[in-house]
Amino acid sequence: MAKKDINWSELGFGYVKTDKRYVSDFRDGKWDEGRITDDDMITMSECAGVLQYAQTIFEGLKAYETNDGKIVTFRPDLNAERMMDSAKRLEMPEFPKERFLDAIRRVVDANRDWVPPYGSGATLYIRPYMFGINPVIGVKPAEEYQFRTFVTPVGPYFKGGAKPITVKISDFDRAAPKGTGNIKAGLNYAMSLHAIVTAHNEGFAENIYLDPASRTKIEETGGANILFIDNDGNVVIPKSDSILPSITRRSLAIVAEKYLGLKVTQREVFLSEVFEGNFRECGLCGTAAVISPVGRINDHGKEFTFASGMDEMGQTTKKLYETLTGIQMGTVEAPEGWIFEI
Ligand code: PLP
Ligand code: COI
């Protein structure tokens, strides 16, 4: 067994078909025992629930090669729990936590050669997902489901990696106050596609969505939570019931407090505060994004450039980034229970 012959440091965030994936079927009210397969194709009814009414949820996490050659994943138990929350909200059966962890372990183990080498800048992205597969024509939940997990080696989510990006305030809403913004459902991403294409066409890397009720408070972006560093160097995290509870952001809050001695506040954050200059750094955080520095926010032509500027990551963002990735890659001691060795 040898690592695949890939130019790891050139990888972007894309799909590469790897050797093995995990599949389990839910029929007659129960999950089967699950299996690893070579088959990357799915055959289903033309009327499958997922195709008609978008009954699909997913997760995203990564496997890393550490400095001493181990393969690990980061807090997969939290992905398992979040997927159970997503399933409940869309009337899908829960995939049990122990089964989820077993699936991750088996699929990463079966694709060890695809785990990018330590120090290459790339990681192995793991995508668990579940969808309604039997025919559904009246609006109701499916009765049969498939849970699958594949992996794909990835590089940085945003072009340029650690280079600050410019994001726009979107005219579209991402999630209604009592909608599905706090779960990881495909439908949240389908409705963001027009907004992201529009943002890209205008030269922006991402959209910041505001709270739809008042359009004054910062929620999150299409694929990551947001955090700010205030002028005292402390961390401020937007609070809302309709943003995805990011595992990266929750972990960074602990890293900031316990490793860097920073104060962390989670509260409503108004867009006006950004333009008043209350924050000196801003970052987008998520599994894919890690922490991507935001250099500038554009609100309908009105621009605010953070003190950290457009050339490099802000000082505090950089410390957060280095500590978190150090924990993930084994160079910084992890809090108990954060690292799962494969
Ligand atoms: N918010 C959205 C909308 C996302 O798609 C993601 C990606 O998973 C995140 C936040 C970050 O969450 P996590 O850190 O758990 O990957
Ligand atoms: C992730 O960070 O895992 C995401 O899901 C973001 C994006 C690829 C949808």
Side-chain angles (χ1 to χ4, degrees):
M1 300 278 271
K3 292 272 185 214
K4 298 288 171 183
D5 184 19
I6 289 177
N7 195 350
W8 305 102
S9 56
E10 295 293 308
L11 282 172
F13 193 86
Y15 173 73
V16 175
K17 186 181 146 189
T18 54
D19 295 328
K20 310 280 180 188
R21 62 277 304 130
Y22 178 91
V23 187
S24 182
D25 292 304
F26 184 87
R27 271 193 216 106
D28 302 324
K30 56 181 190 304
W31 289 104
D32 71 8
E33 66 282 6
R35 61 202 176 274
I36 291 284
T37 169
D38 291 344
D39 191 0
D40 60 319
M41 291 294 166
I42 302 170
T43 303
M44 67 177 87
S45 161
E46 62 187 356
C47 196
V50 60
L51 299 180
Q52 303 310 322
Y53 303 124
Q55 202 184 13
T56 180
I57 56 176
F58 68 99
E59 273 303 322
L61 65 162
K62 284 176 171 173
Y64 310 85
E65 187 176 270
T66 63
N67 60 336
D68 53 0
K70 293 187 192 123
I71 293 174
V72 301
T73 60
F74 181 73
R75 310 191 78 184
D77 49 325
L78 299 189
N79 294 96
E81 287 167 11
R82 190 169 64 188
M83 195 165 191
M84 291 164 85
D85 291 340
S86 300
K88 270 186 247 164
R89 179 66 174 81
L90 292 198
E91 289 293 337
M92 301 166 87
E94 290 172 19
F95 196 68
K97 187 165 162 179
E98 288 313 315
R99 291 286 315 272
F100 182 99
L101 296 174
D102 180 56
I104 300 300
R105 189 187 54 71
R106 286 170 64 184
V107 78
V108 174
D109 192 44
N111 290 289
R112 291 185 94 89
D113 300 346
W114 292 95
V115 181
Y118 173 75
S120 64
T123 50
L124 191 74
Y125 187 71
I126 309 170
R127 173 52 64 89
Y129 59 115
M130 188 206 293
F131 49 92
I133 199 165
N134 68 295
V136 174
I137 193 71
V139 177
K140 62 176 187 195
E143 279 152 13
E144 295 177 0
Y145 294 85
Q146 193 163 85
F147 170 91
R148 297 179 75 98
T149 301
F150 65 80
V151 296
T152 179
V154 295
Y157 190 62
F158 293 105
K159 278 194 215 100
K163 255 323 220 192
I165 54 175
T166 301
V167 298
K168 72 170 278 189
I169 301 297
S170 181
D171 285 325
F172 299 99
D173 293 326
R174 175 182 175 273
K178 294 196 190 305
T180 53
N182 61 338
I183 61 159
K184 211 158 165 63
L187 58 90
N188 291 338
Y189 299 82
M191 53 70 61
S192 76
L193 296 177
H194 179 58
I196 193 72
V197 170
T198 306
H200 286 166
N201 287 343
E202 293 170 353
F204 301 108
E206 248 292 10
N207 284 295
I208 287 184
Y209 294 100
L210 300 178
D211 74 296
S214 75
R215 310 209 98 247
T216 57
K217 289 175 267 182
I218 291 187
E219 297 245 297
E220 63 172 323
T221 68
N225 280 184
I226 303 178
L227 61 76
F228 295 96
I229 307 300
D230 69 15
N231 292 326
D232 298 322
N234 291 314
V235 179
V236 178
I237 296 168
K239 185 176 177 156
S240 157
D241 290 338
S242 51
I243 67 178
L244 190 77
S246 158
I247 293 161
T248 312
R249 186 258 299 159
R250 286 184 270 162
S251 304
L252 283 169
I254 295 169
V255 165
E257 268 179 351
K258 300 271 172 350
Y259 287 66
L260 304 179
L262 304 177
K263 197 170 116 210
V264 178
T265 312
Q266 199 171 0
R267 61 164 174 85
E268 291 183 333
V269 174
F270 289 85
L271 177 61
S272 57
E273 294 180 63
V274 170
F275 282 88
E276 283 157 16
N278 287 1
F279 306 115
R280 66 183 191 207
E281 297 176 35
C282 174
L284 306 187
C285 43
T287 297
V290 193
I291 315 181
S292 302
V294 174
R296 189 174 287 150
I297 292 184
N298 183 304
D299 178 17
H300 299 88
K302 201 169 80 175
E303 291 204 311
F304 180 82
T305 306
F306 289 94
S308 53
M310 291 300 292
D311 294 327
E312 52 190 54
M313 224 184 233
Q315 252 180 15
T316 307
T317 308
K318 192 159 182 220
K319 277 193 212 146
L320 286 166
Y321 177 90
E322 283 173 353
T323 313
L324 179 74
T325 53
I327 289 171
Q328 292 165 334
M329 314 267 180
T331 56
V332 174
E333 193 175 340
E336 172 99 29
W338 279 23
I339 298 297
F340 275 51
E341 191 175 338
I342 302 295

